[in-house]
Amino acid sequence: MRYTTEDGGRLNNFAVEPKMYTAEPPSKKQQTIYLIAGIGALALVGGLVAIAVSVS
């Protein structure tokens, strides 16, 4: 565990930082999957709103 001793003898603990990495843009296949999932989510929400409006 990483720690330092301050004046007065108190210990100050530091969290272990995770390794950094660079994000990569999504591939064409992933973009297509995201598009299909987004369209499905919009259809689901639209359907739920339509049902709510028709019931009320």
Side-chain angles (χ1 to χ4, degrees), residues 8-28:
R10 292 184 299 178
L11 296 178
N12 190 1
N13 291 328
F14 293 100
V16 177
E17 296 181 1
K19 292 184 179 182
M20 300 285 287
Y21 64 93
T22 57
E24 297 178 3
S27 66
K28 283 291 191 184

Side-chain angles (χ1 to χ4, degrees), residues 36-49:
I36 293 169
I39 292 170
L42 284 174
L44 177 65
V45 171
L48 291 174
V49 169

